[in-house]
Amino acid sequence: MPLLEVNGLQVEFKTHDAAVRAVNGVSFALEEGETLGIVGESGSGKSQTVLAMLGLLASNGRASGQALYRGENLLGMPAKALNRIRGNRLSIIFQDPMSSLNPYLTIERQMTEVLELHKNLTRREAKKRAISMLEAVRIPEAAHRIGQYPHELSGGMRQRVMIAMALLCEPDILFADEPTTALDVTVQAQVLQLLRDLQRDFGTSIVLITHDLGVVAGLCEKVMVMYGGRVMEQCDASTLFAKPSHPYTIGLLRALPRLDQEGGELAGIPGNPPNMAHPPAGCPFHERCADATAECGERAPALEAVGTHGLRACHRPADALITRYQEQSHV
Ligand SMILES: Nc1ncnc2c1ncn2[C@@H]1O[C@H](COP(=O)(O)OP(=O)(O)OP(=O)(O)O)[C@@H](O)[C@H]1O
Ligand SMILES: [Mg+2]
């Protein structure tokens, strides 16, 4: 049994003028110790996919489908049972640590509270555990820092504290929603290295949300590319980088700076993601896709297996797209 198995997840928001289907039939499995990247531009449904599983949707949102954690469906689970799992077996870190840390409480207070609640530790034991976790995320002088308030720490350090807090109860799965976006490039690299180390040392499974395929390359074994609430392509990360088979994935890869092609032009994907209150008919990407045909505007392609490659949702032949990409990028 996979650690986490998501089947046909849908998320719908009620708004005054329309029902917004933010996530439309997402399915994936996560094995123990595995790292999955969820990639896509802004608004593609990445965050809502994860928030839905953790019961954290806004009040106008509703999730359906299945999200089985060790065989138990998280969707529709009573609040009490879900609370016990959340923050203990499943943890989440967000992009902006300041929005999740309480500015009025010391780091010690925020960390020990979690342990007292979920692990029944005494204040003293909890503090010891909290300090060792701060050391694990390489906060220098952890025993001193733990007495400080969030604003006394740098942005990179606050993000480390967030990660330490998320890992306190040794969760099975760490969901990280754009954990490095707000940080400068050097600190980004350090935080990613930290996640890699933690995964090695604690065997934590990670679901990493990012709009940056470069981040996926460094950390993830599997990747799921989302657009307009749907999965466009889903496969091993190494396959995705060597043989992308979906025009959207190819567009994202083209937008990545490449160290070996200095001065080369960076081609972003022209146009903007769709307004999910009024999504286009057919494939959500067809309006921006240079390869689209009439069929693409009429019928949304199903997510189907392509040989041993993985899964993709596209009407155009995979082989031709892969070959063209490889020729044009000289890989
Ligand atoms: N409470 C809400 N009411 C209505 N629509 C919502 C609500 N929350 C999110 N949405 C819509 O759901 C869609 C998916 O949002 P989501 O937050 O998952 O995007 P994302 O892929 O995480 O993007 P980003 O990279 O910007 O974080 C968006 O179109 C968004 O506007
Ligand atoms: Mg998001």
Side-chain angles (χ1 to χ4, degrees):
M1 185 198 305
L3 186 58
L4 179 69
E5 187 180 343
V6 176
N7 296 316
L9 179 69
Q10 308 239 6
V11 176
E12 204 166 88
F13 291 102
K14 282 214 162 66
T15 65
H16 57 277
D17 70 338
V20 178
R21 180 154 297 173
V23 178
N24 197 345
V26 166
S27 302
F28 65 88
L30 185 74
E31 305 291 342
E32 235 151 303
E34 213 168 47
T35 300
L36 167 77
I38 305 182
V39 192
E41 287 166 291
S42 190
S44 53
K46 308 179 297 294
S47 293
Q48 303 312 320
T49 295
V50 163
L51 294 174
M53 292 189 264
L54 297 176
L56 296 173
L57 289 178
S59 58
N60 64 333
R62 202 172 205 93
S64 58
Q66 279 187 325
L68 305 174
Y69 166 69
R70 298 189 183 278
E72 266 191 285
N73 195 3
L74 298 170
L75 306 184
M77 187 179 271
K80 206 168 159 198
L82 188 58
N83 262 330
R84 213 169 24 233
I85 295 180
R86 203 167 53 194
N88 187 14
R89 311 270 34 111
L90 310 176
S91 272
I92 181 161
I93 48 178
F94 296 101
Q95 173 173 343
D96 173 15
M98 260 335 234
S99 65
S100 328
L101 292 172
N102 185 332
Y104 302 110
L105 297 179
T106 61
I107 305 302
E108 174 176 346
R109 199 57 211 288
Q110 310 193 38
M111 292 182 85
T112 53
E113 240 166 36
V114 181
L115 287 168
E116 286 167 46
L117 181 72
H118 285 294
K119 295 286 181 202
N120 258 326
L121 296 187
T122 64
R123 180 62 66 85
R124 228 182 121 113
E125 292 165 333
K127 182 172 180 184
K128 214 170 129 201
R129 174 91 155 258
I131 292 175
S132 73
M133 198 43 92
L134 289 177
E135 282 165 352
V137 299
R138 299 196 212 98
I139 299 272
E141 302 167 63
H144 161 67
R145 289 284 183 182
I146 198 168
Q148 295 189 313
Y149 290 87
H151 71 262
E152 297 178 78
L153 308 177
S154 69
M157 247 195 259
R158 284 199 286 262
Q159 195 57 296
R160 279 161 201 264
V161 168
M162 277 295 302
I163 295 172
M165 281 182 70
L167 292 170
L168 266 183
C169 297
E170 297 177 5
D172 289 338
I173 309 176
L174 176 66
F175 295 92
D177 192 351
E178 306 268 8
T180 60
T181 311
L183 306 171
D184 68 54
V185 179
T186 333
V187 184
Q188 262 184 33
Q190 290 168 0
V191 170
L192 289 176
Q193 182 58 44
L194 178 67
L195 289 174
R196 265 194 293 275
D197 294 349
L198 291 168
Q199 201 210 7
R200 190 196 53 216
D201 298 345
F202 296 89
T204 317
S205 302
I206 299 178
V207 176
L208 177 81
I209 296 180
T210 176
H211 58 265
D212 184 351
L213 271 173
V215 169
V216 168
L219 194 71
C220 302
E221 295 149 55
K222 282 185 176 173
V223 53
M224 179 163 94
V225 179
M226 289 187 69
Y227 188 82
R230 292 174 186 265
V231 177
M232 299 286 105
E233 185 162 15
Q234 195 171 347
C235 56
D236 289 345
S238 54
T239 305
L240 189 95
F241 287 102
K243 299 195 257 174
S245 72
H246 194 291
Y248 182 59
T249 312
I250 292 172
L252 290 178
L253 282 169
R254 289 247 159 81
L256 270 183
R258 280 185 46 176
L259 294 175
D260 57 338
Q261 289 182 356
E262 215 180 316
E265 63 190 281
L266 260 188
I269 306 173
N272 292 306
N275 172 358
M276 293 310 288
H278 306 283
C283 170
F285 186 59
H286 84 268
E287 289 171 338
R288 297 171 73 193
C289 181
D291 293 293
T293 61
E295 184 186 19
C296 304
E298 287 156 12
R299 196 166 56 83
L303 189 65
E304 282 168 349
V306 235
T308 55
H309 179 101
L311 302 168
R312 74 196 273 268
C314 181
H315 291 306
R316 310 297 298 148
D319 286 345
L321 288 164
I322 295 170
T323 309
R324 191 181 66 196
Y325 174 79
Q326 291 180 332
E327 282 168 8
Q328 289 180 352
S329 57
H330 316 289
V331 289

